[in-house]
Amino acid sequence: MAEILLARHAQAYANRRDFAAFGNKESPLTDHGIGQTIAMNRAFRSDFGIVPEEYARPVLASTFVRPQQTARLVGFNVIHISSKIDEARVDDEVMSGISPIEKHANERWVPESLKGPVARFLDEVQEGSLSYEIYFTHGMFIAGVALECEARGIDHGIPFDEKRGYVPLQAAIAKLAV
């Protein structure tokens, strides 16, 4: 069993208008998001006993700018990048006026494009072939991990909110034993 931390990126410009920032790979953090990284640094220290500036192991971030920038500003020095934990593709839903977060909360839904990557992610973590302790990723990816854990009978501990489902707020950190 592996214990991992899934950290959702801080607020980016694409998130600023309270809509999902799906597909926007280059959006940097806002000033508010930069402030959230300071709070994340404190949370890593107080809640998980991790001092980011002294953490010797690499962390993994998605290929999007916002998780990479979040990890760096939180204080981690060695950041690896992988598409294995990238954001979901929900262009069709967004273009048709559907809110992916509301759809997830109401239907326990994640996009088809995310199901395979989430299952592979959990497999690789459980097998030890993906051996990072900390992952900087996206809200819908974390929601997908929670649903996949449920399907596998793993008690993930991520709270379900009636408005957001398992999609955590920006700059949240979830601890999982998988």
Side-chain angles (χ1 to χ4, degrees), residues 63-116:
T63 62
F64 287 58
V65 167
R66 53 193 179 271
Q68 295 171 34
Q69 189 180 12
T70 300
R72 187 176 64 255
L73 291 176
V74 166
F76 291 98
N77 296 306
V78 183
I79 303 164
H80 292 175
I81 311 300
S82 175
S83 61
K84 291 180 182 200
I85 58 173
D86 272 358
E87 181 63 276
R89 293 187 201 120
V90 293
D91 299 340
D92 292 341
E93 287 79 10
V94 171
M95 295 304 289
S96 66
I98 295 171
S99 164
I101 294 173
E102 286 178 26
K103 185 173 177 68
H104 164 72
N106 294 334
E107 302 172 20
R108 297 173 98 69
W109 168 89
V110 294
E112 286 299 318
S113 67
L114 198 56
K115 290 180 181 179

Side-chain angles (χ1 to χ4, degrees), residues 50-72:
I50 295 171
V51 178
E53 298 82 1
E54 298 173 4
Y55 190 78
R57 294 178 59 193
V59 301
L60 190 66
S62 90
T63 62
F64 287 58
V65 167
R66 53 193 179 271
Q68 295 171 34
Q69 189 180 12
T70 300
R72 187 176 64 255

Side-chain angles (χ1 to χ4, degrees), residues 9-169:
H9 62 79
Q11 184 188 67
Y13 280 94
N15 301 115
R16 213 166 57 172
R17 290 174 273 160
D18 291 331
F19 70 92
F22 302 105
N24 188 332
K25 288 186 87 155
E26 302 303 319
S27 183
L29 299 183
T30 63
D31 288 342
H32 178 70
I34 291 168
Q36 288 175 318
T37 66
I38 295 166
M40 286 182 87
N41 179 290
R42 285 193 294 262
F44 273 106
R45 291 166 183 267
S46 64
D47 299 347
F48 306 106
I50 295 171
V51 178
E53 298 82 1
E54 298 173 4
Y55 190 78
R57 294 178 59 193
V59 301
L60 190 66
S62 90
T63 62
F64 287 58
V65 167
R66 53 193 179 271
Q68 295 171 34
Q69 189 180 12
T70 300
R72 187 176 64 255
L73 291 176
V74 166
F76 291 98
N77 296 306
V78 183
I79 303 164
H80 292 175
I81 311 300
S82 175
S83 61
K84 291 180 182 200
I85 58 173
D86 272 358
E87 181 63 276
R89 293 187 201 120
V90 293
D91 299 340
D92 292 341
E93 287 79 10
V94 171
M95 295 304 289
S96 66
I98 295 171
S99 164
I101 294 173
E102 286 178 26
K103 185 173 177 68
H104 164 72
N106 294 334
E107 302 172 20
R108 297 173 98 69
W109 168 89
V110 294
E112 286 299 318
S113 67
L114 198 56
K115 290 180 181 179
V118 163
R120 283 189 294 280
F121 168 78
L122 280 176
D123 289 343
E124 290 180 23
V125 169
Q126 288 178 318
E127 294 164 358
S129 60
L130 193 59
S131 59
Y132 299 88
E133 178 185 18
I134 303 169
Y135 299 85
F136 284 84
T137 187
H138 305 268
M140 190 61 75
F141 188 88
I142 295 170
V145 169
L147 289 176
E148 182 66 19
C149 284
E150 281 183 5
R152 295 181 183 199
I154 299 169
D155 182 17
H156 52 76
I158 298 173
F160 188 88
D161 178 90
E162 66 181 46
K163 291 183 180 178
R164 300 189 60 80
Y166 288 124
V167 179
L169 295 172

